[in-house]
Amino acid sequence: MASDFFYFISSLPLLRFGEKSVLTYGTFLSRSMDCLSEPEVAVLDSLQLCPPPQAVSALPVIEQWYSEETYLRNLVAGYRARSRKQDSGRWQRDSSEYSAQLIKRIEEIMALPNAWEKEQALDLIRWQRLDELGAGHLFDFPTVIVYALRLLILEKRRRREEEAGSRFAAVLVEAGQEQAAKQRVDLE
């Protein structure tokens, strides 16, 4: 089956950083089965944000993503280890990447007041990197891969927001139950 990238990419909803996607990754994969070849769908199904150990891909866009994501994670791990006065070597993976600009941005991000803001800023770096990886690609498989990675970022963010919302709701319910119990005691 020949892939029809133009039709498939045109049918996908626009993804924007910081907004919820109307499309889940599972739905994206099922739609891709209608327009893409089995090997292409298999690539999308195996795609992940976190680079697997010794990640090797025949596709340059995936290879570049994993390489740069490894470098980003190495910088974050190194910064965290230094702040705890520990050796970062055990958390580092091999990477041939280097960016003085990214090192500066990581330092700025790590100075943010809470983990939520730090993670949002790191995801924004990832999103911007996908802009760079997608440059020069319009209606081809690398464009689909960039879209898939963006969708994975949005799904990760959605899960974090749902978890935070669930924890907040649990705290509210617990506080309400304590208040109700106290009022019952006061009434008796």
Side-chain angles (χ1 to χ4, degrees), residues 63-177:
E63 189 70 34
Q64 192 65 32
W65 169 261
Y66 285 156
S67 177
E68 292 177 7
E69 181 65 13
T70 298
Y71 179 62
L72 175 68
R73 289 170 182 261
N74 283 347
L75 289 175
V76 172
Y79 189 88
R80 288 178 177 161
R82 282 189 303 280
S83 69
R84 293 179 175 97
K85 298 185 182 1
Q86 296 179 354
D87 177 33
S88 65
R90 76 182 230 205
W91 292 288
Q92 302 288 314
R93 289 189 181 175
D94 289 337
S95 175
S96 61
E97 301 291 324
Y98 178 80
S99 169
Q101 181 183 15
L102 187 56
I103 292 170
K104 177 73 174 150
R105 286 183 73 188
I106 294 300
E107 289 173 358
E108 293 167 356
I109 288 170
M110 290 300 147
L112 292 172
N114 63 53
W116 177 258
E117 290 179 26
K118 290 175 187 176
E119 195 59 35
Q120 286 184 3
L122 290 171
D123 283 344
L124 180 58
I125 287 175
R126 291 176 175 108
W127 194 272
Q128 291 167 340
R129 185 58 196 132
L130 288 170
D131 286 341
E132 295 170 15
L133 288 175
H137 297 282
L138 293 176
F139 296 102
D140 57 4
F141 193 52
T143 302
V144 176
I145 292 168
V146 167
Y147 186 93
L149 289 167
R150 284 188 170 147
L151 190 54
L152 287 171
I153 289 171
L154 292 178
E155 283 208 344
K156 179 182 79 164
R157 291 173 55 85
R158 180 190 49 79
R159 280 191 307 271
R160 270 190 269 142
E161 289 171 1
E162 286 176 358
E163 291 168 4
S166 295
R167 284 192 303 271
F168 182 69
V171 167
L172 286 178
V173 168
E174 185 178 326
Q177 289 173 336

Side-chain angles (χ1 to χ4, degrees), residues 13-31:
L14 180 65
L15 300 178
R16 289 192 175 113
F17 184 77
E19 294 182 10
K20 291 183 180 180
S21 171
V22 296
L23 186 68
T24 66
Y25 200 74
T27 304
F28 168 74
L29 284 177
S30 67
R31 282 189 186 179

